[in-house]
Amino acid sequence: MHILILGSGGREHSLTWAVKQNPKCTKLSCAPGNAGIAKIAACIELNINDGQQVKEWCLKNNVDLVIIGPEEPLAYGVSDILKSANITTFAPSKAASKLESSKLFTKEICDSCQAPTAKYDYFNDQEKAMEFIKKSKFPIVVKADGLAAGKGVVIASEYLEAEEAITEMFGGYYGQAGAQVVIEEFMEGEEASLFVLCDGENLISFGGAQDHKRAYDGDNGPNTGGMGAYSPTPVLTKEIEKKAISKIIKPCLAEMRKRGIPYEGVLYAGLMIKDEEPKLVEFNTRFGDPECQVLMMRLGAQALDLILATCEKRLDNAKITWADDHAITIVMATQGYPIKYDKGSKISGLGTTIENSKQVIFHAGTKNHGKDIVASGGRVLNITTRASTLKEAQLRAYKIIESVDWKEGFYRNDIGWRAL
Ligand code: AMP
Ligand code: GLY
């Protein structure tokens, strides 16, 4: 099969790495990719949000399967365009990806099927939102309805912070994403990410992971796309996973089917767990980044079989074999991320790590510059390892970091702390 993966992050490098191990994959391309992906796949210059352009390239190059990594192409309807040209595509439709692209839509789906989530209200009007927060208890969570590259959520500990967030959102700071604002109750507890594959009818759990959203050690500093992850995560016990599937995921997917928008692809449920009860924080309609890296490290070649089972609506017969192991990924980011950072710094020492099924450096924002590899983004490398215990995986990952010579980079020293 000729497989095309869309995206350029650590998530897409790990997908490329896993898919490549499966003998069904005979040709592998990635658009646009990065310096790490370029070592194992052909990197193609394509505007991945332009469905027509991607479709034409696929038809010309006999692509058998497209795997869409990030959320933007979904919101642009790229999967609909590919599927209508009979190109097998692992991704939900534009309509179904509203579960990520509209927070209010997800809240309404939860309301319709009584899935547990935070109480909320929504506003199209700044003044009404301001009146609402005057009567609210704090902390409170203010969210831009639409896609805001992971930045449209403000946890306001007091009135002034909420007021500022509302003013920014209605003031166009997040573009159209902030034209509608959801204000919701702050949920306490521990967060975990649960992934399921859905083929429109059936679903199978694809495992759990825990992300580290804050930039600095001890969960301090600004929110980021994620500074590290590990899988499995002890907070997501079998019991809690079962509850999340039966009380949240299955009812929401049934509601989607009822509305004529069946969900196909991977669904990522961000959960808040307290007193053994999960509540939904949000859905994402794609793999998490960096959560995908630890799932791929644990699954390897199986990932492609499961992706194909999803696309071919065979999940009722699908099985996942999990090894009794633990994976961890540590993100190395450019100093200043997520606020303000420079691009173009040189990274050395990557060649000294022997990569195998138990340790890989997945690239995110990297590119080739002459003979050098340089940083081209905020999150840059994902040091990913697997071992029989989380502690062993963690020690090995931090050992590998010592061999990376990149003074403009930083990372958290405590990835995995909750489980350890
Ligand atoms: P979201 O983009 O909706 O996942 O929000 C980003 C982060 O904000 C989540 O991962 C949580 O850490 C936090 N968050 C969002 N909504 C809530 C809530 N209702 N209560 C507590 N924390 C929240
Ligand atoms: N790591 C969080 C996300 O991918 O949304």
Side-chain angles (χ1 to χ4, degrees), residues 116 194 237 353:
L194 174 62
T237 59
T353 299

Side-chain angles (χ1 to χ4, degrees), residues 378-399:
R379 292 189 293 170
V380 173
L381 298 170
N382 304 259
I383 316 300
T384 312
T385 61
R386 178 162 71 97
S388 55
T389 66
L390 179 61
K391 187 73 208 164
E392 194 190 328
Q394 188 205 43
L395 287 174
R396 195 138 45 78
Y398 281 112
K399 187 90 199 139

Side-chain angles (χ1 to χ4, degrees), residues 272-345:
M272 190 67 81
I273 299 159
K274 193 174 170 232
D275 303 331
E276 312 277 296
E277 287 297 325
K279 282 187 178 179
L280 183 73
V281 179
E282 61 162 356
F283 279 131
N284 291 312
T285 55
R286 51 171 173 85
F287 283 115
D289 185 344
E291 293 97 322
C292 186
Q293 288 83 313
V294 284
L295 296 178
M296 291 304 128
M297 170 108 300
R298 294 184 68 209
L299 287 167
Q302 278 186 86
L304 178 58
D305 296 321
L306 291 158
I307 285 171
L308 286 171
T310 307
C311 296
E312 292 162 6
K313 303 194 191 298
R314 293 187 280 105
L315 282 180
D316 48 338
N317 290 315
K319 280 213 168 54
I320 303 188
T321 314
W322 292 105
D324 186 15
D325 61 3
H326 298 257
I328 194 166
T329 189
I330 322 280
V331 171
M332 295 185 79
T334 309
Q335 277 171 29
Y337 171 79
I339 316 269
K340 189 170 177 286
Y341 51 88
D342 293 326
K343 293 183 183 176
S345 53

